[in-house]
Amino acid sequence: MKLSLLQKQALKTGLIAIFTLLLVGTLFLFFIDPGTFQILLAVIIYFILICLLFLSQMKKFIYKQLQRVYESNLFDNEPVLKNQSSELDFELFIQRIKKFAQTKHQEIEQLHDRDDFRKDFLGDVSHELKTPLFTAQGYLLTVLDDSIDDPELRRKYLERTNKSIERLTYIVKDLDMIARLESGMKLEQDDFNIVKTLSDVFELFELKASKKNIRIAFKEPYEFPIMVRADKEKIEQVVINLISNSIKYGKLGGSTLVSIEPHSVHQMIINFEDDGVGIQKENQSRLFERFYRVDKSRSRDQGGSGLGLAIVKHIVEAHDQEVFVQSEPGKGSIFSFTLNKAV
């Protein structure tokens, strides 16, 4: 235990007082009874020797225990104690113990947070799977009921069943992708033209966007290739998810405009700007959480797995890049992510 300056001074004063009393008592006995003085002097000398021996053994014992701690894996790559009598080494040891305890406390807090996240995630997964499962089961049981003779009604129920099964498929596929990303999926990075990749995705969503009369296009024409270095397949998935979201939450007759700009000396930034419903500021920090939905009822009606933006974040961060969002309710949103320029 480390003593304060006041405690050390009090201990020092107390020891001086004790030795002073012993000295005065010894001198008094010397003049009163020399024989008793000799006996007392022998007892005092023996007591001092015992104390010194005890202190020496205790110091060796404490030092050996400290050496054992240092030689364990408690302090990796740290120098061991070199001087048994060094106060500096002992103070350094105390500092490292405090640092070690603080680190372990932080690790325990992180484990608690992860456990809470795991519980929430399992609850979300069970809820997301339960809804389409029960819906599909309900429609199938209705179709199997012999009381329904109308072919059109049967077809309607079967189509709704198929829609629920499709949603289950989306959820399972996206969960599988997140699991593979978190387990350290190897990225096959290469140089490719990001303008061409974006154009291919535009064509892929042309029919879906036309149903809501939404225009998907570049904000400005790009006459020359813009080369980036990344995993082309994974980045294409990022673009697909962002374009899909912009259509899903875009307004009728709106637009999604994509731009490619320099972000730093070695990076480009790709922006996806829509004029849709927008997102409240308090919800923006949670957009990339799994299954998080700003408007749960409306989002489920739109379909999808609820994992699209979580996958975007995983893929972008796997490339050691960043993803951003800017939004204002009623004015639309801008989702962006960075990529390294081609070497």
Side-chain angles (χ1 to χ4, degrees):
M1 182 176 65
K2 188 176 180 180
L3 299 176
S4 66
L5 184 61
L6 184 61
Q7 289 173 323
K8 288 181 179 179
Q9 189 63 37
L11 182 60
K12 183 178 179 181
T13 304
L15 290 173
I16 292 174
I18 291 172
F19 279 109
T20 302
L21 289 173
L22 287 173
L23 181 62
V24 171
T26 303
L27 291 175
F28 179 76
L29 287 173
F30 176 75
F31 289 107
I32 300 300
D33 188 352
T36 305
F37 166 75
Q38 292 176 359
I39 294 172
L40 181 61
L41 185 61
V43 170
I44 292 173
I45 293 173
Y46 181 73
F47 176 75
I48 292 173
L49 289 174
I50 290 294
C51 287
L52 291 175
L53 181 62
F54 175 77
L55 290 174
S56 175
Q57 293 300 316
M58 282 298 296
K59 184 180 290 186
K60 288 181 180 179
F61 173 77
I62 292 173
Y63 178 76
K64 285 181 180 179
Q65 301 308 311
L66 295 182
Q67 280 292 115
R68 285 183 180 180
V69 174
Y70 268 101
E71 290 168 1
S72 68
N73 294 325
L74 186 61
F75 303 111
D76 295 330
N77 302 321
E78 296 284 357
V80 298
L81 291 172
K82 295 181 180 179
N83 185 358
Q84 295 185 19
S85 62
S86 173
E87 293 183 2
L88 180 60
D89 284 343
F90 186 74
E91 291 295 329
L92 184 61
F93 175 79
I94 294 297
Q95 291 175 10
R96 288 173 184 165
I97 285 288
K98 289 180 177 178
K99 183 179 178 181
F100 175 79
Q102 184 178 9
T103 301
K104 292 302 175 186
H105 177 73
Q106 292 174 350
E107 290 178 0
I108 291 171
E109 290 296 322
Q110 289 176 358
L111 287 173
H112 282 307
D113 292 340
R114 288 178 183 177
D115 186 55
D116 292 338
F117 176 79
R118 179 186 61 82
K119 291 176 182 177
D120 292 340
F121 177 66
L122 288 175
D124 288 338
V125 169
S126 63
H127 180 75
E128 293 293 332
L129 293 175
K130 179 175 63 177
T131 303
L133 272 174
F134 286 174
T135 302
Q137 185 184 38
Y139 286 129
L140 285 174
L141 289 174
T142 304
V143 171
L144 290 172
D145 190 351
D146 294 334
S147 61
I148 300 180
D149 298 325
D150 186 354
E152 288 298 324
L153 187 59
R154 283 177 178 270
R155 181 178 180 82
K156 181 179 179 182
Y157 283 167
L158 287 174
E159 287 176 349
R160 290 181 178 178
T161 301
N162 183 61
K163 188 176 180 181
S164 296
I165 293 173
E166 283 181 352
R167 186 175 166 202
L168 281 172
T169 304
Y170 286 137
I171 294 173
V172 173
K173 285 174 62 179
D174 287 350
L175 282 172
D176 178 61
M177 177 170 284
I178 285 182
R180 285 186 288 133
L181 286 168
E182 287 186 338
S183 63
M185 180 189 291
K186 186 178 179 181
L187 298 175
E188 298 180 0
Q189 300 198 44
D190 202 356
D191 296 347
F192 64 94
N193 180 9
I194 188 64
V195 177
K196 176 69 166 56
T197 301
L198 289 165
S199 298
D200 291 342
V201 177
F202 291 173
E203 292 179 7
L204 182 66
F205 282 94
E206 187 176 355
L207 181 61
K208 187 175 180 180
S210 65
K211 290 180 180 179
K212 295 181 69 174
N213 195 25
I214 292 176
R215 182 172 68 96
I216 305 175
F218 288 110
K219 197 169 185 177
E220 60 183 72
Y222 296 99
E223 298 178 0
F224 302 100
I226 298 177
M227 305 300 292
V228 296
R229 185 169 186 80
D231 188 315
K232 183 180 178 181
E233 183 182 340
K234 301 297 185 301
I235 296 304
E236 190 175 66
Q237 183 65 54
V238 169
V239 175
I240 287 172
N241 288 3
L242 292 176
I243 293 291
S244 176
N245 265 20
S246 71
I247 296 172
K248 189 184 299 181
Y249 302 109
K251 68 179 182 180
L252 294 173
S255 63
T256 297
L257 300 178
V258 180
S259 60
I260 309 167
E261 301 171 358
H263 185 64
S264 67
V265 178
H266 304 291
Q267 289 178 310
M268 302 297 291
I269 187 167
I270 297 90
N271 305 303
F272 298 78
E273 182 178 351
D274 65 61
D275 51 4
V277 295
I279 305 159
Q280 297 285 347
K281 188 174 182 179
E282 59 268 21
N283 293 318
Q284 292 177 21
S285 61
R286 301 191 60 191
L287 282 176
F288 298 96
E289 294 180 13
R290 302 169 190 175
F291 297 117
Y292 182 77
R293 301 174 189 268
V294 177
D295 185 345
K296 292 183 170 33
S297 59
R298 185 174 182 275
S299 298
R300 288 196 175 90
D301 292 338
Q302 298 287 341
S305 67
L307 296 167
L309 289 179
I311 290 173
V312 167
K313 187 171 188 287
H314 274 292
I315 293 175
V316 172
E317 290 185 348
H319 285 80
D320 295 323
Q321 301 297 314
E322 294 179 281
V323 60
F324 311 96
V325 59
Q326 303 173 51
S327 187
E328 191 174 341
K331 295 186 178 180
S333 307
I334 303 176
F335 286 85
S336 312
F337 67 93
T338 60
L339 283 178
N340 284 332
K341 296 179 181 178
V343 179

